[in-house]
Amino acid sequence: MAAESSPLEGLRALVRDLDTGSRSLLHYPQVPMLDDVRREWSELRSELQVRRSLRTEAPADGGPLNSAVLVQRMLDTMQATSPGYLRHFIDYVDTLSWLQALQDGAASGADAAKPKRTRKPRNAG
């Protein structure tokens, strides 16, 4: 029994060490270039999202109050009047959509973890 628990205890100790180490920045080297890379990546991602949004065309058979037509008109107007605001808006919507997907994934995982309830048959009588 002691031989079986030894690897398990070693693994638990490793997880404890990693967990305590992750709370302290002293264990990790500071990489100033990483902030620059994150900023550049964020700008590139924003630019890609803006291009995708502007490339989408409104449906040809959509009337003036069609939601896809209205959204496309809004994006075109934002691009013409305030491209910086459009970038900010697209980032905001992208973040909201990511959070929604995260919440939906957590909800479906929680639903899968719940045991299915079965109905008890009613007693006739």
Side-chain angles (χ1 to χ4, degrees):
M1 183 79 173
E4 289 180 23
S5 66
S6 177
L8 185 58
E9 286 303 315
L11 183 59
R12 285 183 182 146
L14 177 62
V15 169
R16 274 192 308 272
D17 290 346
L18 289 173
D19 193 34
T20 57
S22 67
R23 290 188 181 99
S24 171
L25 289 177
L26 297 175
H27 294 95
Y28 299 102
Q30 296 299 315
V31 183
M33 189 179 112
L34 193 56
D35 292 333
D36 295 336
V37 171
R38 284 183 182 141
R39 189 183 75 255
E40 291 292 326
W41 173 251
S42 177
E43 288 176 13
L44 284 172
R45 181 163 168 74
S46 294
E47 186 64 29
L48 176 67
Q49 293 291 66
V50 168
R51 285 183 185 185
R52 276 188 195 155
S53 299
L54 293 174
R55 188 173 56 217
T56 304
E57 292 191 24
D61 61 344
L65 296 179
N66 180 294
S67 60
V69 171
L70 290 173
V71 168
Q72 194 60 41
R73 196 177 325 150
M74 175 202 62
L75 293 173
D76 291 340
T77 302
M78 272 194 230
Q79 178 66 19
T81 58
S82 181
Y85 181 77
L86 175 61
R87 219 174 253 106
H88 176 75
F89 177 77
I90 296 289
D91 286 343
Y92 182 73
V93 170
D94 189 42
T95 302
L96 287 177
S97 118
W98 176 79
L99 288 171
Q100 181 67 44
L102 189 64
Q103 180 182 8
D104 291 346
S108 67
D111 289 342
K114 290 181 184 176
K116 299 289 181 194
R117 292 178 52 176
T118 57
R119 291 186 141 200
K120 294 180 183 177
R122 290 186 174 192
N123 292 337

